[in-house]
Amino acid sequence: GNDMQLRLQAWDFPGQQEYALANLIYFHGQGIYILFFDASCELEQEWKELKFWLWAVAQYAKNTSAETVPQPPVLIVGTKWATRNFEAKELEVRVTNFFRQVPGLEARLVWNIKYSYGYETERSVLFPVENKDPE
């Protein structure tokens, strides 16, 4: 048989500004990039960080080996969703407007699509998760 082995290696990059440039040397064209943001924080603060990482992935995590090879996908995950300080639509608008500034980003985003009876009912660039311990 032609058995294929898959190797998974997960890297957790620190998101703080002082580590940002050092992290970029590890970006490459073979991976899945999951960008997390804390939805319980103010939107302006989180958008500033998220915008930087979206740009960085689009610029530095590229597959340059062949045009037929897809670019690495990007997921945006909002944590602490139950205690969010903004509506999802506010961030959606910012992300979709950012597509115009960063060519190729839109095609790389993995969309959170909800279906009902086989029809698409909702589409979002966000994957909301609740990871706060219940009190």
Side-chain angles (χ1 to χ4, degrees):
N2 197 5
D3 293 338
M4 183 170 70
Q5 291 185 349
L6 178 67
R7 186 178 123 205
L8 176 65
Q9 189 175 40
W11 293 28
D12 180 7
F13 294 110
Q16 295 86 358
Q17 195 63 36
E18 58 267 17
Y19 299 107
L21 295 177
N23 290 338
L24 298 180
I25 64 173
Y26 297 103
F27 283 24
H28 57 80
Q30 298 177 347
I32 299 170
Y33 290 83
I34 305 172
L35 306 179
F36 292 90
F37 71 93
D38 185 343
S40 68
C41 294
E42 294 299 319
L43 179 58
E44 284 303 319
Q45 173 189 339
E46 291 302 299
W47 174 241
K48 180 181 174 187
E49 298 294 325
L50 184 59
K51 185 168 67 168
F52 169 79
W53 289 110
L54 286 168
W55 172 84
V57 168
Q59 294 300 309
Y60 295 101
K62 293 181 180 180
N63 192 328
T64 58
S65 61
E67 285 186 29
T68 57
V69 178
Q71 295 298 327
V74 180
L75 287 87
I76 301 174
V77 178
T79 63
K80 302 177 189 170
W81 198 252
T83 57
R84 68 186 178 276
N85 279 316
F86 53 87
E87 292 302 316
K89 193 68 179 165
E90 294 176 75
L91 186 57
E92 291 270 345
V93 168
R94 290 177 188 225
V95 171
T96 53
N97 286 337
F98 196 54
F99 292 156
R100 285 181 243 143
Q101 296 175 30
V102 184
L105 178 61
E106 183 176 9
R108 295 175 62 178
L109 279 178
V110 176
W111 292 79
N112 183 2
I113 302 174
K114 295 183 174 90
Y115 293 92
S116 179
Y117 300 104
Y119 295 97
E120 182 180 318
T121 58
E122 188 179 338
R123 175 180 282 243
S124 173
V125 296
L126 305 174
F127 288 84
V129 295
E130 181 50 53
N131 58 326
K132 189 175 183 208
D133 289 333
E135 296 177 20

